[in-house]
Amino acid sequence: MDKLVITGGVPLSGEVTISGAKNAALPILASTLLYRGTSVFSNIPKMGDIATIKKLLIWLGASIEERSDQTAVEFKKINRQDAPYEMVKTMRASILVLGPLLARCGEARVSLPGGCAIGARPVNLTLSALERMGAEVKIVQGYIQAKVKKLKGAKIVFDTPTVTGTENVMMAATLAEGTTLLENAACEPEITDLARCLSLAGASIQGAGTETMTIQGVRELHGVDYSVMPDRIEAGTFMIAGAITGGDIFIRKGKSRDLKAVTYKLQEAGVEIEEEKEGLCVKAKKGIQSVDVKTAPFPGFPTDLQAQMAALMTLARGFSIVTETIFENRFNHVAELVRMGADIRINGNQEVIRGVSRLSGAQVMASDLRGSASLVLAGLAAEGETQVSRIYHLDRGYEKMEEKFSRLGAKMMRTRGAL
Ligand code: EPZ
């Protein structure tokens, strides 16, 4: 298995360009099940999870053509309506084909996504919403079996805002008969990006990015030309990398409007962040002050940057309390940070972090996507060498990470492991 070998202590400098957003590209690629004709997408990132959903779309009948920096997708026919366990178990977000398959074909058999390292990850809200829209939904031998003659618009109120739940229902509703009203919808920018793409294809959607969305069903949708938004979680990861190394970097395509809570917290911690037309300037010459962080649905502090922020707080002056409110087990990186010299105590859904003056490099092991990013950031700041193993977790959600960091001056290389 590959490892990342990092020699810490180098303040990052220079410019990095952010790739397309994984969590926008996934639902946008799934939405091609709804379209008649070819769609051409740009800014689709090249990473594990994107490869997985492309494999699933081809399994369902898509033809996918990779052009230089574009991806063309067409379903001449949808040959299958099932997403097998072998595919879904590697990426839970495969459930994003459920809504489109039901809307387009009236049936779907999708493996129930299991939990993952960060939590149980139930999908009950999606399933009950589709039932409200007239689908018969059963769980048979670990598979979601759903069928319906024609989905009907309905009023749906989510108990809690769910990102992929909002995306699944929005996609299903675009071809339903009548109007769907979705309350307590998630507001993440990736949802707005998907809604923008669906509207270009002919969908009628109001309120994307707010808690209340209205979707009027239409008869059919056509292919689109669409460019996926930049990845705000990658941008946030690089902002924190600039901060933790005391660097001075420019993050091209970084947009503070998608990262208001993160920008605010980093500025509170003493990081200088300036928004320019093409991106964000991040400077952190004066050391870092501890701040408290509490994750929340957008526009709150994103749970996908909690682990990275915790890494920064291990070297901040004072105490910080990091509270995770979205997932039940998103502290897998803590034990590894402690092995690097961090002073962190877990207390329920909170990490109490006492800043220390230095971290020391160590051999550490990644166990989930964003937790592995946190270990990389700690390695960039630690004295000596850090080896991060099991970086297949990282490769699921970051494109060319070691290349991008090396271009910013980091001493980081990938060693190819035998196994
Ligand atoms: C999306 O996951 C993202 N993944 C996650 O990013 C992100 O952490 C998460 O949203 C929260 O922002 C993609 O977009 C592919 P949720 P999702 O449904 O949709 C509970 C990454 O690192 N819930 O918004 O699966 C759930 O348990 C990944 O890129 C229910 O109870 O998350 C959680 O506590 C990790 N029932 C909360 O809602 C449901 O039916 C939010 O989950 C659905 C969710």
Side-chain angles (χ1 to χ4, degrees):
M1 282 187 276
D2 292 6
K3 280 185 183 164
L4 279 186
V5 180
I6 306 163
T7 305
V10 179
L12 299 182
S13 66
E15 174 175 323
V16 62
T17 299
I18 298 305
S19 301
K22 165 176 87 78
N23 289 350
L26 290 170
I28 285 170
L29 286 169
S31 73
T32 56
L33 281 157
L34 297 164
Y35 308 153
R36 290 176 193 280
T38 302
S39 296
V40 179
F41 298 109
S42 21
N43 213 29
I44 298 270
K46 288 180 180 51
M47 53 179 67
D49 278 5
I50 299 298
T52 303
I53 198 150
K54 285 179 179 175
K55 245 190 270 159
L56 176 55
L57 294 179
I58 290 167
W59 164 268
L60 297 171
S63 52
I64 297 186
E65 187 200 332
E66 301 296 354
R67 301 172 181 168
S68 57
D69 56 356
Q70 291 184 320
T71 301
V73 184
E74 182 183 12
F75 274 94
K76 286 194 174 60
K77 217 166 94 43
I78 298 177
N79 306 328
R80 290 191 181 94
Q81 289 82 33
D82 71 309
Y85 173 70
E86 293 65 34
M87 290 189 180
V88 178
K89 76 176 180 190
T90 56
M91 188 190 61
R92 305 182 56 269
S94 308
I95 192 169
L96 284 164
V97 302
L98 177 62
L101 280 171
L102 261 186
R104 194 77 195 277
C105 313
E107 61 176 304
R109 182 173 177 272
V110 177
S111 170
L112 193 59
C116 71
I118 65 175
R121 312 292 296 275
V123 292
N124 57 306
L125 300 177
T126 302
L127 303 185
S128 42
L130 295 173
E131 285 177 322
R132 296 259 318 172
M133 297 174 77
E136 183 202 333
V137 179
K138 288 189 290 198
I139 307 291
V140 178
Q141 292 179 315
Y143 277 79
I144 302 163
Q145 283 190 343
K147 65 177 194 289
V148 67
K149 207 161 160 330
K150 177 91 177 150
L151 285 172
K152 293 211 175 357
K155 178 174 169 39
I156 294 155
V157 184
F158 277 146
D159 298 350
T160 174
T162 157
V163 174
T164 46
T166 300
E167 291 163 346
N168 243 324
V169 169
M170 173 164 62
M171 289 191 280
T174 57
L175 295 179
E177 211 161 78
T179 298
T180 297
L181 176 66
L182 179 54
E183 304 272 10
N184 204 18
C187 307
E188 271 66 6
E190 292 77 16
I191 289 163
T192 307
D193 208 36
L194 171 63
R196 218 176 272 129
C197 180
L198 289 166
S199 305
L200 263 183
S204 169
I205 301 171
Q206 292 84 34
T210 73
E211 290 87 353
T212 303
M213 290 179 69
T214 309
I215 304 110
Q216 286 86 17
V218 295
R219 215 170 43 73
E220 69 173 42
L221 297 175
H222 53 74
V224 293
D225 268 16
Y226 194 72
S227 179
V228 170
M229 67 178 272
D231 194 316
R232 65 191 173 102
I233 303 302
E234 185 191 22
T237 304
F238 276 98
M239 289 167 82
I240 297 170
I244 203 170
T245 59
D248 178 350
I249 62 175
F250 180 68
I251 302 171
R252 185 166 293 281
K253 296 192 185 178
K255 292 190 173 64
S256 68
R257 74 157 182 263
D258 294 340
L259 285 166
K260 282 201 180 86
V262 178
T263 304
Y264 177 79
K265 276 294 159 186
L266 288 173
Q267 287 171 332
E268 203 188 329
V271 182
E272 289 169 46
I273 300 171
E274 292 294 322
E275 172 120 47
E276 296 194 357
K277 200 160 144 310
E278 299 290 317
L280 298 170
C281 293
V282 175
K283 286 194 189 96
K285 303 267 186 228
K286 299 194 291 294
I288 298 295
Q289 184 56 42
S290 293
V291 291
D292 292 343
V293 175
K294 184 172 182 178
T295 64
F298 191 84
F301 193 96
T303 173
D304 292 350
L305 284 167
Q306 175 260 104
Q308 298 90 318
M309 193 67 183
L312 178 64
M313 289 297 106
T314 66
L315 287 167
R317 277 189 301 278
F319 277 86
S320 74
I321 293 182
V322 176
T323 308
E324 173 57 55
T325 68
I326 308 290
F327 291 114
E328 58 270 37
N329 186 32
R330 209 161 195 179
F331 293 151
N332 299 314
H333 50 287
V334 169
E336 298 301 279
L337 290 176
V338 167
R339 294 185 55 248
M340 296 176 74
D343 180 345
I344 308 175
R345 289 177 186 73
I346 295 177
N347 180 7
N349 71 338
Q350 291 190 320
E351 292 167 298
V352 180
I353 304 174
R354 186 178 64 83
V356 294
S357 53
R358 56 189 280 280
L359 293 177
S360 58
Q363 288 178 296
V364 291
M365 192 164 69
S367 41
D368 63 73
L369 167 56
R370 306 303 177 181
S372 39
S374 157
L375 300 180
V376 170
L377 297 184
L380 288 170
E383 287 172 4
E385 182 177 280
T386 297
Q387 294 192 11
V388 184
S389 61
R390 298 194 179 179
I391 55 167
Y392 55 84
H393 291 291
L394 204 68
D395 293 339
R396 293 188 45 177
Y398 286 96
E399 184 180 37
K400 299 186 188 134
M401 177 177 257
E402 68 269 25
E403 273 174 52
K404 291 184 177 184
F405 273 121
S406 303
R407 228 173 285 139
L408 288 173
K411 290 189 189 121
M412 183 186 296
M413 55 179 275
R414 177 185 290 256
T415 58
R416 301 261 171 226
L419 295 173

